[in-house]
Amino acid sequence: MNASKPFNLEEIFARLKVNKRDEPKEVLNLPPGRFLDEGVYLCEAIHDTTSIVDEYERKRCIETLSSWGGGEPLVFFDLETTGLSGGTGTYAFLAGIGIYQEDSFIVRQLFLCSPKYEQAWLSRLLDIIPNKPAFVTYNGKNFDLPLINTRLLLSRMKPFEETKHLDLLYLVRRLWKRRIGSCSLSNVERQILNIERESDDIPGRFIPDLYMTFLKSGDATMLNGVFYHNEMDILSLCNLFYKVAFVLSGQSHDPYEVNCAGDAWYRHNLDQAKLLWAKAAQLEPPATEALWKLAMENKRRNNYHEALSLLTKLYGMGYRKIDVAVEISKIYEHKLKDAKAALSWADKAMMDFLQYRPLALAWQNRLPDLSKRLERLKRRLGAS
């Protein structure tokens, strides 16, 4: 999402104009639910989760994701708003909250029938969300939570305390972006979760205009797809939570996923990262990137013979042959003080460059360094 827009008086006056002059007196055709206060409407849906995951597995997933903000009580949270760019003129009109109660997953949707009831809507929202929640969102750190806290402050209410917050967007990018490209929740649903929404779904870009039309007509029929969209977002967040935990815990058998999981762990738990890279390297087909990372990590930790073993294996697999040969040459020259072996591998790097020259464009600027390495090693061996 974009950063918050500057204070816009024209936009605010436009909304006040809708509120005072055009707003109907009656709201019609809301989905099944009940009014909590005037202008504040609640829908609830209960989903059985026993066939998906039990409480013990849920706690294991929370523990796996704790390094990224996972915690308890889990609160899956998503907003529908009057705009997608934030700013003081943007407010939320539908909040989806997913929570666990015993063996059920409950999705509560709190709807704002008119902006004039926003303070009551915010008050009820605070009542529905458990104390000190562990939020699970999708881009919620940049959009949903800052927006709600802004609206709370504007209503002279206390914003949410700083609690645990797992924003799954960041982990999705780490695990799948190179594979799927767009990391929009809709694309992740299709390509990672294998979820296809019904035709009733309303794309997010149309939702603000539909709500503005509702404010003028009072007929909520057109919002049925918006309620469905919001509920599906919450259910997808829940499914994605378990999918991400499954991959990060090393249970996937997809070499690409396991390799990327190792990358995700790298700054949090190096040992776990190495375990996952090692697993990715042993799967079929092996994740060659994982072998490279293991080799570089062993080199960094002065495990030179292990690094050489992995690099030699990579060279035999045809992975980045010039880079691999140069790394092997460096280890022999600078770490093991074996100039003869270093020269042999530098020669291989040069031969690979000459053989693959049309395809080795990335090496064009590094060729002078390789040539200097060869000359230096030849002089050293000639003088010895």
Side-chain angles (χ1 to χ4, degrees):
M1 301 295 175
N2 298 328
S4 295
K5 295 188 297 186
F7 193 82
N8 190 324
L9 284 175
E10 290 184 0
E11 184 178 0
I12 292 175
F13 287 144
R15 299 202 187 286
L16 290 172
K17 188 176 181 181
V18 169
N19 297 344
K20 292 180 178 180
R21 189 178 69 183
D22 299 328
E23 185 181 271
K25 295 180 180 180
E26 187 178 9
V27 176
L28 303 172
N29 300 318
L30 283 167
R34 67 186 190 276
F35 279 96
L36 302 181
D37 293 304
E38 186 178 4
V40 181
Y41 192 76
L42 177 68
C43 302
E44 288 187 333
I46 299 176
H47 301 268
D48 179 24
T49 63
T50 54
S51 60
I52 302 174
V53 63
D54 59 23
E55 184 178 0
Y56 172 73
E57 184 62 26
R58 183 159 67 246
K59 288 185 179 296
R60 284 187 58 190
C61 291
I62 291 171
E63 183 179 356
T64 297
L65 293 169
S66 61
S67 295
W68 292 273
E72 294 184 278
L74 285 173
V75 177
F76 297 86
F77 188 65
D78 183 67
L79 297 175
E80 307 307 331
T81 70
T82 58
L84 301 177
S85 57
T88 53
T90 300
Y91 60 92
F93 66 86
L94 181 64
I97 302 105
I99 60 173
Y100 281 97
Q101 287 186 358
E102 298 179 353
D103 291 334
S104 297
F105 184 69
I106 300 178
V107 178
R108 295 191 171 104
Q109 294 176 285
L110 195 67
F111 179 67
L112 176 64
C113 295
S114 165
K116 69 183 178 183
Y117 303 116
E118 184 183 29
Q119 190 166 23
W121 183 85
L122 289 167
S123 180
R124 288 294 187 174
L125 181 64
L126 295 175
D127 291 341
I128 291 173
I129 293 177
N131 187 39
K132 295 183 179 179
F135 285 111
V136 181
T137 67
Y138 204 77
N139 200 33
K141 286 187 176 180
N142 289 328
F143 186 74
D144 300 72
L145 264 294
L147 176 61
I148 282 294
N149 281 333
T150 296
R151 302 313 300 182
L152 287 166
L153 288 169
L154 289 173
S155 295
R156 297 182 181 179
M157 302 170 72
K158 185 179 179 180
F160 283 109
E161 296 181 18
E162 192 69 30
T163 59
K164 286 185 174 292
H165 185 173
L166 171 62
D167 192 330
L168 289 173
L169 174 62
Y170 299 97
L171 284 170
V172 166
R173 285 173 174 165
R174 172 68 73 177
L175 295 175
W176 293 295
K177 182 172 178 58
R178 285 186 297 162
R179 172 175 281 181
I180 67 173
S182 169
C183 289
S184 66
L185 186 57
S186 59
N187 194 45
V188 172
E189 284 179 358
R190 288 191 298 269
Q191 299 206 47
I192 304 301
L193 300 177
N194 297 316
I195 293 174
E196 288 291 341
R197 296 197 180 190
E198 297 176 4
S199 58
D200 293 339
D201 184 54
I202 299 293
R205 64 185 182 276
F206 298 126
I207 289 175
D209 288 339
L210 287 174
Y211 182 67
M212 289 302 163
T213 302
F214 157 78
L215 288 179
K216 295 179 181 180
S217 70
D219 186 352
T221 303
M222 68 189 72
L223 297 181
N224 285 336
V226 177
F227 278 87
Y228 171 80
H229 175 94
N230 180 257
E231 183 178 3
M232 283 300 299
D233 279 355
I234 296 296
L235 294 175
S236 291
L237 272 177
C238 184
N239 281 290
L240 189 58
F241 174 85
Y242 293 113
K243 176 66 175 180
V244 169
F246 174 83
V247 173
L248 289 175
S249 63
Q251 297 181 67
S252 174
H253 295 287
D254 181 326
Y256 174 89
E257 288 184 343
V258 179
N259 174 48
C260 291
D263 294 349
W265 276 108
Y266 182 71
R267 295 188 182 279
H268 298 280
N269 186 327
L270 180 57
D271 289 336
Q272 180 68 6
K274 290 169 66 177
L275 283 173
L276 290 169
W277 287 336
K279 177 181 177 179
Q282 293 167 3
L283 292 170
E284 289 296 335
T288 47
E289 277 190 36
L291 275 172
W292 172 264
K293 292 164 194 168
L294 282 173
M296 293 299 98
E297 190 58 34
N298 275 286
K299 179 185 175 183
R300 190 177 71 83
R301 290 176 168 264
N302 302 327
N303 300 325
Y304 302 122
H305 291 288
E306 180 64 22
L308 283 173
S309 175
L310 293 168
L311 288 168
T312 303
K313 182 177 180 180
L314 274 174
Y315 187 84
M317 296 168 66
Y319 175 80
R320 292 173 60 174
K321 295 186 73 171
I322 303 173
D323 291 297
V324 169
V326 167
E327 285 298 328
I328 294 174
S329 179
K330 287 179 180 178
I331 292 175
Y332 275 121
E333 180 182 4
H334 301 300
K335 306 301 180 182
L336 302 182
K337 308 303 180 183
D338 187 339
K340 186 175 181 181
L343 176 60
S344 174
W345 281 99
D347 270 330
K348 287 183 180 182
M350 180 59 78
M351 286 188 290
D352 288 329
F353 174 80
L354 295 174
Q355 181 178 356
Y356 301 109
R357 187 169 186 170
L359 303 176
L361 297 178
W363 259 90
Q364 297 293 337
N365 294 331
R366 297 163 65 188
L367 181 59
D369 290 336
L370 178 56
S371 298
K372 289 178 183 178
R373 177 176 300 280
L374 278 166
E375 292 172 7
R376 181 177 66 250
L377 288 167
K378 288 176 181 178
R379 287 198 303 270
R380 183 178 302 176
L381 286 170
S384 61

